[in-house]
Amino acid sequence: MSEIVKAEHRDGIAIITVDNPPVNALSAAVRRGILEQVNAAVADPKVQAIVLTCAGRTFIAGADITEFNKPPQPPSLHEVIDALDASPKPIVAAIHGTALGGGLETALGCHFRVAVKSAKLGLPEVKLGLLPGAGGTQRLPRAVGPELAVQMILGGNPISAAEALSHGLIDEVVDDTVAGGEAFARKVLAEQRSLRRLRDDDSKLAAARADRSIFTNAVAAMTKKARGFEAPFACADAIGAAIDLPFDEGMKRERDGFLKLVVGDQSKAQRYAFFAEREAAKVAGVPEGTKPRPVAKVAVIGAGTMGGGIAMSFANAGIPVTLIETGEQPLQRGLGIMQKNYEASAARGGLPPDAPAKRMALITGVVGLEHVKDADLIIEAVFETMAVKKEVFSALDAYAKPGAVLASNTSYLNIDAIASVTKRPQDVLGMHFFSPANVMKLCEIVRGVQTAPDALLTAVTVAKAIAKVPVVVGVCDGFVGNRMLAARSNQAEKLLFEGALPQQVDAVVTKFGMPMGPFAMGDLAGLDIGWRSRQDRGIKSEIADALCEAGRFGQKTGKGYYAYEAGSRAPLPDPEVEALINDTLAKLGLKRREISDQEILERMIYPMINEGARILEEKIAARPSDIDVVWIYGYGWPVYRGGPMFYADLVGLKPIAERLSHYAKQTNDPSLEPAPLLKRLADEGKTFASLAKGG
């Protein structure tokens, strides 16, 4: 018998316990162990009922996804669940922690389910580009009805034990899994309850069978934001089969859908992103045994858009924060905006009604930098110029207590130069949040030359505590994300001089899956910011300059690269912009040419990949997957394309290098020539992924 699945007999009840830390994943050994123990209990005349439970901190939290790319090992999860379902003796799943994916499917194969109050139950496969492949799309609609099944499966988010009880997913909330499961099993025996096999119970499907709009409306609501994704629609198709077909035929439809998705590029990309995020939290070059510094008090300097958003991130995580401004007026303005943001979220139903007051109570607004004296972590979020940053850090050096971590929320500037004005460069690093900081998940943690390992680990730990995805990067202009974005912006601008229009470029980029194109993004940020920066540096960009000279600063003036109707953020192509581009090109003696969507796509994406290769060569990023995490969580790169470096491997590095060389010659732009690392990997027929394996 298996060592990781054990059985204990208690006066006619077999307690089968899975013990496969950390999350009791359904490895081949676990599947084999459950099947052996269930078969043994069914065959034992002394056993009257069975309780399936788990040791450690959770019930089965899902399949072992490391097995997905390997040959299947028997028994399959289907065989295990069929054995549970077919047992002539009642089987009770006793759930604590999380019953997710294959874990919930296993529980659905049991005749009864009980759970502790804190348990969560869900089918999150859609987040890995998959559908539940072991009966989840067929049994869950029969357990809770098609509407909730659609929400759970297409949304991928778990529900609480209380909600599971109210919808019939579990039969009872218990205080303790083993004792509660055993007591419930005895109750089933005493009351001689008939076994509820979900495969045979269509009662909750009747309403949707009589009126299919119950199902289609639920699907429409859940797929509104699923543009570009395949898995949500495949999930809906499989749930539809539960309504339309007998159970066994529905199972076949589910299996076909799963097998198609699991070998597809989207699921490969989403599974890669899942592991890449976990990999990013591993910080290279930190000695073993290094511990983060204790952080009991946090201060944020600057109550503007970024500072306010960062303070809200701490309040959202239940962590008190001191928000510091130079004057009472900007402080009150910042606090007022935060209050409004919280109230708007509560009005939309995104927060409980009492949340705005509770969260604002965690934010203490004060005037004067001297208030940093007790803080263990200080995050500066002031104006993005080196002079201002240095002034703030000089003052921090005087006021902050020894050992406090001093972080700058800079998006471009040199952390080493900022650290140089302090007597404690070992405590200085970058924590680059993304706007809006209370929503966006990425935090680029910038390691300076002298940043101490424990300071670095502190920033990573704090970022995780406030639900951010930390990625450690090195010092260079723009770090990882903005440096690559600059390569794209450069090409977007050049395309206008060659004949493309803003709406054509943006359409290609959004069709690829990005939330916005570069020109709509420029309008949102404000074109005057770049204009003033160019003026300061004596740089010209004739088309962008002409727009600004005409007072077209973007959304805030109702006109930029696009026109905006009053009160709307929807960009509308504007004939005036096309005329302005034509006039500018005529003055420069340039002729427009037809540019294909394919060329636009390649010139938007490939230079970013090229810059990513340079970033890896310079060791600004530790691994290609870290670059991908930055782009997925900071810039809206579609997760189903796995990030720029994953996408490059999918396309093939050789054709990308060839196209870059082609565009370098065509546009007379030597910066487009393939980076040495990209060229080497392309010539050797290797991938960026091979670098992680020492390639």
Side-chain angles (χ1 to χ4, degrees):
M1 284 288 186
S2 163
E3 275 305 298
I4 56 174
V5 183
K6 299 186 178 74
E8 176 196 350
H9 291 202
R10 295 186 183 179
D11 191 21
I13 309 289
I15 312 282
I16 297 174
T17 304
V18 177
D19 188 3
N20 182 33
V23 294
N24 292 311
L26 282 161
S27 63
V30 169
R31 298 193 301 272
R32 193 162 51 247
I34 294 173
L35 188 59
E36 286 171 356
Q37 296 289 9
V38 167
N39 287 341
V42 167
D44 187 340
K46 294 195 288 293
V47 173
Q48 294 173 281
I50 300 162
V51 175
L52 177 65
T53 188
C54 291
R57 59 188 169 92
T58 184
F59 191 73
I60 299 163
D64 185 345
I65 64 174
T66 61
E67 291 186 0
F68 280 11
N69 299 322
K70 297 173 186 169
Q73 297 289 314
S76 70
L77 186 52
H78 288 86
E79 287 173 65
V80 175
I81 293 170
D82 286 347
L84 295 167
D85 185 90
S87 164
K89 300 174 182 181
I91 302 183
V92 180
I95 297 163
H96 73 296
T98 53
L100 298 177
L104 181 55
E105 288 176 304
T106 301
L108 287 166
C110 299
H111 310 120
F112 305 98
R113 287 158 293 284
V114 300
V116 298
K117 191 178 171 185
S118 58
K120 302 267 187 221
L121 300 88
L123 293 172
E125 285 86 348
V126 72
K127 295 183 177 182
L128 295 176
L130 296 168
L131 55 76
T137 65
Q138 304 306 297
R139 286 190 176 90
L140 189 65
R142 288 172 164 86
V144 301
E147 281 179 285
L148 182 58
V150 164
Q151 286 173 33
M152 288 176 70
I153 295 172
L154 273 67
N157 296 320
I159 61 171
S160 66
E163 197 177 347
L165 180 66
S166 72
H167 287 278
L169 180 52
I170 61 172
D171 299 281
E172 199 171 276
V173 173
V174 296
D175 293 330
D176 175 82
T177 43
V178 177
E182 183 187 340
F184 190 84
R186 293 197 189 284
K187 196 193 303 185
V188 167
L189 293 171
E191 295 171 4
Q192 296 185 328
R193 286 199 202 180
S194 56
L195 307 188
R196 187 185 178 205
R197 293 192 167 89
L198 286 171
R199 62 172 293 136
D200 301 328
D201 184 355
D202 288 1
S203 56
K204 291 196 176 177
L205 301 177
R209 283 178 175 167
D211 178 5
R212 200 173 167 79
S213 70
I214 292 171
F215 167 68
T216 53
N217 290 345
V219 170
M222 290 306 297
T223 52
K224 265 196 300 211
K225 293 180 180 169
R227 180 177 72 91
F229 286 90
E230 293 167 359
F233 298 96
C235 287
D237 183 58
I239 299 167
I243 299 168
D244 299 334
L245 302 172
F247 183 84
D248 288 329
E249 286 180 43
M251 286 292 288
K252 186 177 181 312
R253 177 83 66 88
E254 176 191 271
R255 190 74 192 141
D256 290 347
F258 178 86
L259 291 173
K260 189 176 168 193
L261 289 173
V262 79
V263 297
D265 288 342
Q266 286 205 1
S267 181
K268 284 177 187 167
Q270 287 176 257
R271 283 167 5 228
Y272 163 84
F274 175 86
F275 286 115
E277 182 186 331
R278 276 143 192 78
E279 199 66 21
K282 298 172 187 168
V283 186
V286 170
E288 211 172 321
T290 304
K291 296 262 190 298
R293 300 177 191 178
V295 175
K297 292 191 175 174
V298 178
V300 174
I301 300 164
T305 305
M306 286 308 296
I310 294 165
M312 286 173 78
S313 297
F314 282 96
N316 294 347
I319 299 169
V321 59
T322 301
L323 185 63
I324 299 170
E325 254 298 352
T326 51
E328 195 62 40
Q329 199 179 352
L331 177 65
Q332 292 308 323
R333 186 171 61 242
L335 289 168
I337 290 168
M338 291 152 73
Q339 178 83 38
K340 271 190 196 146
N341 284 341
Y342 277 136
E343 284 170 357
S345 290
R348 285 195 305 270
L351 288 175
D354 62 345
K358 279 185 179 168
R359 295 190 186 184
M360 286 305 294
L362 291 167
I363 301 166
T364 305
V366 292
V367 173
L369 275 179
E370 65 275 10
H371 291 284
V372 302
K373 62 182 186 299
D374 295 330
D376 305 300
L377 168 66
I378 302 160
I379 301 172
E380 161 277 308
V382 302
F383 200 64
E384 181 75 353
T385 66
M386 184 59 84
V388 176
K389 302 276 190 197
K390 282 184 169 179
E391 192 183 324
V392 169
F393 273 78
S394 293
L396 287 181
D397 201 32
Y399 291 124
K401 68 181 184 184
V405 175
L406 313 182
S408 173
N409 173 54
T410 176
S411 46
Y412 281 96
L413 301 174
N414 187 314
I415 289 295
D416 294 326
I418 293 169
S420 71
V421 300
T422 73
K423 297 183 188 71
R424 46 171 110 182
Q426 73 280 3
D427 297 333
V428 179
L429 45 75
M431 285 183 81
H432 176 208
F433 291 83
F434 286 70
S435 187
N438 53 309
V439 176
M440 296 298 282
K441 285 184 75 173
L442 180 69
C443 184
E444 271 184 321
I445 312 270
V446 189
R447 181 193 335 225
V449 171
Q450 295 185 63
T451 303
D454 64 338
L456 192 65
L457 219 49
T458 306
V460 169
T461 307
V462 167
K464 282 195 216 157
I466 59 171
K468 302 300 177 196
V469 176
V471 180
V472 175
V473 300
V475 175
C476 67
D477 188 42
F479 316 126
V480 169
N482 282 338
R483 176 170 163 181
M484 289 168 70
L485 186 66
R488 187 183 83 172
S489 303
N490 186 31
Q491 288 304 305
E493 190 177 26
K494 285 186 171 180
L495 283 163
L496 296 190
F497 286 93
E498 293 173 44
L501 291 172
Q503 59 266 31
Q504 186 191 358
V505 175
D506 282 359
V508 170
V509 171
T510 53
K511 188 181 175 190
F512 179 77
M514 300 295 288
M516 290 179 102
F519 298 107
M521 198 164 87
D523 278 359
L524 177 66
L527 304 181
D528 51 324
I529 299 165
W531 186 40
R532 291 201 181 96
S533 169
R534 287 193 297 276
Q535 286 173 326
D536 288 348
R537 292 176 294 155
I539 296 170
K540 278 195 179 321
S541 176
E542 289 87 352
I543 293 171
D545 292 349
L547 287 170
C548 291
E549 282 155 16
R552 301 182 71 111
F553 295 159
Q555 285 189 16
K556 58 185 161 193
T557 56
K559 286 180 175 183
Y561 283 105
Y562 296 94
Y564 299 87
E565 288 177 353
S568 169
R569 288 178 173 270
L572 303 169
D574 191 341
E576 284 181 26
V577 173
E578 187 170 354
L580 183 145
I581 290 171
N582 285 335
D583 288 350
T584 305
L585 297 191
K587 281 177 199 162
L588 296 169
L590 299 172
K591 275 205 174 87
R592 282 176 69 179
R593 66 178 175 88
E594 280 291 316
I595 301 177
S596 71
D597 286 357
Q598 184 62 26
E599 178 178 341
I600 291 171
L601 180 66
E602 290 173 357
R603 286 179 63 184
M604 289 290 90
I605 307 295
Y606 294 1
M608 285 168 46
I609 292 164
N610 205 25
E611 203 59 44
R614 292 189 186 105
I615 284 166
L616 289 169
E617 277 176 304
E618 294 166 27
K619 304 209 173 344
I620 299 297
R623 352 167 221 255
S625 59
D626 285 2
I627 294 174
D628 290 335
V629 171
V630 165
W631 271 83
I632 289 166
Y633 288 112
Y635 297 85
W637 181 281
V639 68
Y640 59 78
R641 295 197 192 274
M645 312 318 275
F646 177 90
Y647 177 74
D649 285 350
L650 215 52
V651 173
L653 302 192
K654 197 166 182 59
I656 289 173
E658 285 167 358
R659 295 308 287 161
L660 282 165
S661 279
H662 166 76
Y663 292 126
K665 292 176 183 69
Q666 178 185 298
T667 63
N668 194 25
D669 181 355
S671 76
L672 290 178
E673 282 295 348
L677 175 64
L678 175 57
K679 192 162 178 3
R680 172 174 75 78
L681 293 172
D683 289 346
E684 293 172 5
K686 288 184 174 173
T687 59
F688 286 119
S690 70
L691 296 173
K693 303 176 188 106

